Every structure is written in structure tokens, then in C-alpha cells.
Amino acid sequence: MTSTTPRTIPQRTRSSRPNKSHSQGAGDKRSIGRNVVLIGLSIYFLLPMWWLVVASTKSNRGLFSGTAGPLWFDQDFNLVDNFLELFSQSNGIYWQWLGNSLLYAAVGGGGATVLAVLAGYGFAKYAFRGRTVAFALLLGSVMVPVTALVLPTFVLFSAVGLNNTIWAVILPSLLTPFGVYLMRVYAQDAIPDELLDAARIDGAGEARIFFTVALPLLKPAVATVLLLSLVSTWNNYFLPLAVLSDPKLFPITVGLGQWLQLSAASGAGQQLWNLIVTGALVSIIPLIIAFISLQRYWQAGLSLGSVKS
Amino acid sequence: MSLTKLRKPQNDDVTAAALLAPRSQRRSVITRRGRIGWAFVAPFGVTFIALLVIPLLYAFWLSLNTNTLAKGNQFTWFHNYGQAFTDPLFLEGARFVIVFSLILIPFQMLISLITALIIDELANKVARISRLLIFIPYAVPVVIGAIMWGFLYSPSFGPMGEIFGFFGLNAPNLLSADGIFWGLVNIVTWQWVGYYMIIIFSALQGLDPSLFEAARIDGASKLQIALRIKIPLVAPALVLILVFALIGTLQFFTEPQILRSLAGGAITSGFTPNLYAFNLAFVYRDFNYASTISFALGIVVFIGSYIFLSASRKKSGL
């Protein structure tokens, strides 16, 4: 079984199997059925996004009692007003949240990638004392649930006074055992030992070998680990919710969650529904664009995880 | 490792190493190389110790203590764990995530497997576009996914009435105590199926087509090829997904926390173990007991996924 396990090579392109066209024969009834299944599924997966786009053009009143129902536009087109209101609400705190999310993702996700590349390369290409034990420890930690670390991190950070600072979010994001694991698996095959030895014989130092020989070969895996850690930092909710109390430091996820809580609190609550909807739409657009334009990278990259070690 | 193949000493080794016998010269290269290996791993190692090992040890220490107004801080051994495993709130939350996993994960895996098989088989324009569309929810943060679905479920401004009415049905209230289970199953499925589908799809694309050609010549149907050849060959990807899904579901937190404000009383403070730990810490300020719950949950997830992975290791070749 092991020998037939797919080893996905990153340079594989999407249409690398020419002998597939046989299934597209005209009049194949079952193939029509399968197309319909796919279209149906696509509609289901797209429906909430469609609703979000439509709802972001409505005022608070329109959301509750629109003229055309929840899935179609109102007579009253309120998108621009909603957008302007996002700037004025609490001195434009929404944009501050968006900026915070960007900062946390860039520093946390970027830093995590740097650490993972270095460590993965070290594990793959140097036989140092304790390597086996250290790597076993790392593999075990991949299975430690992330949220199990949130409260421990919170209590530790309150002991050292780090809570309610940007570092309380950034530092824990630097840890990606899974990224190191992916990097090691990839570096093992992508960098031939002979190449490193040849560079050493030519007198290159280890640092120079890493930057000029190894790093270019690791590019696809670097892109993958970067993408995965950017997404997980951008998505982060539990950790910032626990360690931050100053609204000015919130990432977008915690901020919108708080608006939701405020609006839902009966009676005294502020009605921010239209802002939540428009804010949610604005915050996912960059990610969706990034995913669609970087398709080539994550498609090859996500499959790395399913390759055996 | 083929380190011993290389004898050439590096510059700073030359003076010392040149005087020594080849054997120890070789060793000096190896230890030097080893130190460089450690240097590459060290930055990650430091964060690993500071942000994983130390917090876990500290939380474990906290979980062994009890803090009461009357007696102050006391070392109480495993008293908190005893309390946790007889605490109806914790047990109810644990029961919920287990039942939830048992229903959600097979359902999710089945949909992503079938979708991946169809997309791999069709390989036409519809397949390429729907692959992207089905994946898009993965790019949406979980918080936003939960907010969107919460609004969609809302009887006051969601379209559920319209959609079910179209099929002549009454819309269920997925934010009520009875409906919330299925409401959550739907949200998690929507968010993750695309990601799992891509993993399986990539594994399918990596298979050697000559395997199916032979079966097809022997008269095997597409269904037989899928069941007998393709699915067993992508088993490692399926195992990986199963473990990811299990780890994720047992620590269920974000979706119920977000839906809490919309779902009224349907989501209690002990709805899932993580939600319970969070509320213990931030509402009741009981960090000792919160650490206990957190730690107990972490151990259970860790042991569970470890046993599962090593049990399936032989079968799947993972």
C-alpha cells in the first residue's frame, strides 16, 4: 500500500491527465446527473454569500421588513450609506479592527512561516543529536488542540503582564508545528543532499547554502505554509477574545462578534445589524480574491498534508 | 544521512582538525554540522517551549490547585479532575461534542468524497467552477460564517421560510433548542466540505490512471472503479481528514459562542467543554477549574487522535 501512496509533486498542473475526456461523451445520461449534482451543491455553497451581498445593500429596516424578501434587493438601495456608516460608527473603529487583523496576520503568520521554514529545513537536512526525539515531540504537538492552549496562554500572559497587548495575539500565532512538519516532509525530497554537498565543497557557508540553494527549491512549500498560517491567524477568534479587552486592539472577528452581541442584547442594545452585514462582506472580499488568484499555490499545497511522511 | 561521505573540513575547523586523525576530524565536522542543525531549529524550539510547553505545565499546575475565598490557594492534587468528571455541565458538554462528531464527521466526509470523485471524473468546466465555488467557504472566517448562517436562520429576517415554502414545507427554527444541533451541523459542513474535498481531489489526481484503464478493460463499471480502486488508494487522505475533523469538533467553540447571542437560551454556558472552560474563566473567574477542563479536554483529544492515528497507520500507510 505504501508504495502506491500518491506523492503529490507541486509542479503538477491541474489538467495533467489527458485521458479524461472519455467521460464527456454526448448523451451520457449519468454525466448529466452528475453535473446537476455539482450545480446544486454550488448553489448551496454560494447561497449565504449571495444573501450577504444582497443584505449589505439594505438598511436596518430593510433587513427586517424588506420589500422583496431576504434574497433579493430592496427598493431602497443603502449600500453607500452602510459603507459611510462603517466609517463614522465609534470613530471608524471597524477600519481599526481590519487593520489589526492585517497586522496580526502579517506579523504572526509571516513570523510563523519563517520559523517553520528554518526548523523544517534543519530537521530535514541536518543529523543532529536529539533530532529524532525533538521531531517526535513536534509530531505529538500537532495533535494538541489549539484551543487547549488558549486558557493556559491567558493565565501565563497575565502572570507576565502581556495580556491586552498586540503581543498576546502575535506571539502564540508564531507556533505552527504543522507548518514545520509540512516543511520537513517537503524539504526532504525537494533538496538533494548531493546539491548541498556540492555547495559545501565549493566553499559556501551553511547560511549561504540555505539562502541560495535551499530556499529557492522550497518556494512552493513556503507559499503553502504562509497561506495556511495567514488564514489561521486571520480566522483567529478564541485567543484574541480571551487575551484582549481593549476594543482598539480587537481583530475583525472579535469586533464583529461584539457588535453582534450588542445588537442582540434586548432593550438597551444598539441596533448595528446593517453594519455587521456590510462589515462582514467587506472583510471577506480580500480573502476570497487572494484565494482565487493564488489557486495554483494552495491547490498543490493543501495536498502536501495528505502525503505520507 | 550521508554526512560521513563528506570529509572536507570547513575553514575554522582546519587549524584544529588538520592535526587530528581522520576519525576525530570527521566527528568534528559532524558535531559542527549538528550545531548548525540545532541553530536552524532553535528559533522554533524557543517558541515551542515558551508558548506550548510552559503554558501547558503552568495550566497543569493550576489545575492541581484550588482557590477558595475561605482557605485561599491550596494544593489539592487531582480534586479538580474528580470534580470535572462528576460535573453534570462538563459531562453534558462532552456528550454533546461526541454525539455531534459521530453525526457530523461521517456526513461531511461522505459529501466531500462524493464531490471529489465526481469532480475528478467529470473534469469539465462545470467541475472546475464548482470546485472553486465549493471551496470558497473555507476562505470565510469561521466567525463570519457563523454570523451569516445565524442571520439566515433568523425567523425575523432570514430566508428560511421562503426556501422551505418553495418546497411546500414549514421552515424549522434552527436557532431553537431543538433545531440548534442541525443548525450547527449545517454551518460546519458548509465551512469545511470544500477544504476536505480539495484534499481528496488532489489525492485522486495523484493516482496513476493506468490502474483504472486495466480495470475498465476488464469491464469494471465506474462505480466499481471508484469503490474498489480509487477510495482505497486515497485512504491516507481520508484518515487525515478524519483526524482534522475530530480534533476540530471536539474543541468546538467559535460557532456556538457566536450563535449564543442569536439563539437565546438554546446554547447554555456549558454547551461544549471549551465554551464551559471559557465561561468558567471569564465569567466565574475560576481559573483553576477552567484550566482543569481545558487540560482534561486537551488530553482526551490528544490521546484519542494519537490512538486513532497509530491504529490506522498500518492500514493507510500514513
Side-chain angles (χ1 to χ4, degrees):
Chain A
M1 186 60 87
T2 319
S3 58
T4 49
T5 307
R7 302 222 65 138
T8 311
I9 308 300
Q11 53 264 34
R12 177 192 305 286
T13 50
R14 276 176 284 144
S15 52
S16 60
R17 287 166 64 183
N19 54 340
K20 294 233 89 192
S21 47
H22 59 81
S23 60
Q24 289 174 49
D28 187 342
K29 272 184 192 157
R30 278 179 304 168
S31 131
I32 294 173
R34 284 190 296 255
N35 281 313
V36 170
V37 169
L38 286 187
I39 293 169
L41 279 170
S42 304
I43 293 174
Y44 162 75
F45 281 95
L46 219 57
L47 182 78
M49 316 295 261
W50 170 250
W51 174 84
L52 191 69
V53 170
V54 170
S56 68
T57 66
K58 294 179 180 177
S59 63
N60 261 332
R61 208 173 42 81
L63 279 173
F64 284 92
S65 51
T67 49
L71 291 177
W72 198 248
F73 299 97
D74 232 359
Q75 286 169 336
D76 172 26
F77 193 83
N78 215 38
L79 179 64
V80 179
D81 289 344
N82 287 340
F83 210 73
L84 293 177
E85 225 181 299
L86 272 184
F87 279 97
S88 60
Q89 178 68 33
S90 314
N91 293 321
I93 197 153
Y94 173 83
W95 305 99
Q96 170 102 41
W97 292 339
L98 213 54
N100 290 340
S101 275
L102 267 176
L103 175 76
Y104 300 150
V107 181
T113 310
V114 172
L115 296 183
V117 174
L118 289 173
Y121 174 70
F123 273 124
K125 291 296 156 187
Y126 293 90
F128 51 85
R129 196 185 289 265
R131 175 170 79 158
T132 322
V133 177
F135 195 69
L137 204 63
L138 175 105
L139 265 188
S141 74
V142 170
M143 280 175 275
V144 173
V146 201
T147 60
L149 282 173
V150 170
L151 286 182
T153 305
F154 172 84
V155 283
L156 188 72
F157 279 5
S158 55
V160 294
L162 268 177
N163 279 328
N164 212 14
T165 66
I166 59 168
W167 301 108
V169 181
I170 290 174
L171 290 178
S173 313
L174 294 176
L175 194 71
T176 52
F178 188 63
V180 178
Y181 165 76
L182 282 187
M183 220 56 205
R184 187 218 162 129
V185 171
Y186 189 86
Q188 199 102 54
D189 292 344
I191 308 171
D193 288 331
E194 294 73 23
L195 201 62
L196 298 181
D197 288 345
R200 283 182 188 124
I201 289 164
D202 289 346
E206 298 293 327
R208 197 166 149 218
I209 291 175
F210 171 72
F211 284 109
T212 57
V213 180
L215 207 50
L217 291 171
L218 291 176
K219 246 188 225 160
V222 173
T224 304
V225 173
L226 183 65
L227 199 69
L228 287 177
S229 42
L230 283 181
V231 169
S232 71
T233 332
W234 186 270
N235 271 335
N236 212 344
Y237 175 70
F238 195 8
L239 176 80
L241 183 69
V243 298
L244 298 177
S245 49
D246 180 359
K248 284 201 178 112
L249 297 177
F250 285 172
I252 194 76
T253 49
V254 178
L256 286 179
Q258 207 199 31
W259 273 1
L260 186 71
Q261 232 169 353
L262 273 179
S263 306
S266 53
Q270 276 176 287
Q271 298 296 305
L272 300 168
W273 303 109
N274 59 330
L275 294 186
I276 298 171
V277 169
T278 313
L281 179 70
V282 172
S283 75
I284 60 174
I285 288 173
L287 271 169
I288 291 179
I289 292 174
F291 264 100
I292 292 178
S293 53
L294 294 173
Q295 232 192 110
R296 213 157 50 88
Y297 293 100
W298 55 256
Q299 294 242 325
L302 291 182
S303 61
L304 271 177
S306 63
V307 171
K308 71 174 201 69
S309 58
Chain B
M1 285 272 91
S2 54
L3 286 173
T4 42
K5 270 195 254 165
L6 185 76
R7 297 280 190 79
K8 189 179 187 301
Q10 301 293 314
N11 290 341
D12 46 338
D13 281 342
V14 171
T15 39
L19 300 168
L20 299 168
R23 195 184 153 78
S24 52
Q25 175 189 335
R26 197 162 69 208
R27 174 166 294 165
S28 95
V29 171
I30 290 173
T31 46
R32 207 186 89 87
R33 198 69 64 64
R35 262 181 309 199
I36 293 166
W38 270 115
F40 273 110
V41 176
F44 176 80
V46 171
T47 51
F48 186 83
I49 289 168
L51 297 161
L52 189 125
V53 178
I54 294 178
L56 281 181
L57 288 178
Y58 187 57
F60 183 57
W61 166 252
L62 279 181
S63 74
L64 299 180
N65 286 276
T66 308
N67 202 344
T68 53
L69 274 178
K71 292 179 182 164
N73 201 47
Q74 271 187 318
F75 187 73
T76 48
W77 289 101
F78 291 95
H79 168 82
N80 286 330
Y81 290 90
Q83 191 187 337
F85 285 104
T86 52
D87 181 345
L89 275 177
F90 174 65
L91 293 178
E92 208 177 296
R95 203 184 63 88
F96 172 81
V97 286
I98 291 170
V99 174
F100 191 74
S101 313
L102 287 178
I103 292 178
L104 170 81
I105 297 176
F107 179 64
Q108 232 179 354
M109 287 184 65
L110 197 66
I111 297 185
S112 40
L113 179 62
I114 292 173
T115 320
L117 284 169
I118 295 180
I119 288 178
D120 179 60
E121 180 70 38
L122 280 181
N124 58 7
K125 208 169 203 171
V126 175
R128 270 194 301 280
I129 294 172
S130 50
R131 190 178 73 204
L132 197 60
L133 293 182
I134 293 171
F135 179 76
I136 277 183
Y138 175 74
V140 175
V142 175
V143 169
I144 306 223
I147 291 179
M148 278 198 288
W149 280 107
F151 284 177
L152 287 165
Y153 294 161
S154 157
S156 49
F157 59 83
M160 293 292 283
E162 277 189 351
I163 294 171
F164 278 82
F166 182 77
F167 297 103
L169 298 165
N170 279 329
N173 182 358
L174 295 176
L175 292 174
S176 67
D178 296 329
I180 194 75
F181 186 92
W182 300 106
L184 288 167
V185 167
N186 176 54
I187 298 179
V188 180
T189 306
W190 177 82
Q191 194 107 44
W192 293 99
V193 156
Y195 177 61
Y196 297 151
M197 182 258 314
I198 291 284
I199 293 180
I200 302 173
F201 173 75
S202 307
L204 284 170
Q205 292 276 294
L207 300 179
D208 180 0
S210 63
L211 287 168
F212 332 126
E213 290 305 331
R216 193 172 291 126
I217 290 165
D218 290 346
S221 71
K222 278 177 189 164
L223 184 68
Q224 281 173 321
I225 293 174
L227 288 177
R228 302 265 175 84
I229 303 178
K230 289 184 178 172
I231 295 179
L233 286 178
V234 298
L238 295 176
V239 170
L240 186 88
I241 291 170
L242 188 62
V243 174
F244 276 175
L246 198 65
I247 295 177
T249 331
L250 292 178
Q251 18 171 6
F252 208 28
F253 175 79
T254 304
E255 293 91 337
Q257 166 76 11
I258 289 290
L259 285 189
R260 254 192 112 178
S261 39
L262 293 172
I267 294 174
T268 55
S269 67
F271 195 68
T272 72
N274 248 335
L275 208 56
Y276 189 41
F278 178 80
N279 284 314
L280 281 172
F282 295 100
V283 179
Y284 304 105
R285 298 270 142 197
D286 187 348
F287 290 110
N288 298 97
Y289 194 40
S291 301
T292 310
I293 300 283
S294 224
F295 211 82
L297 176 71
I299 297 265
V300 169
V301 175
F302 179 82
I303 293 176
S305 44
Y306 194 84
I307 289 175
F308 187 85
L309 262 189
S310 35
S312 59
R313 184 180 284 262
K314 266 187 213 145
K315 257 189 174 170
S316 68
L318 189 79

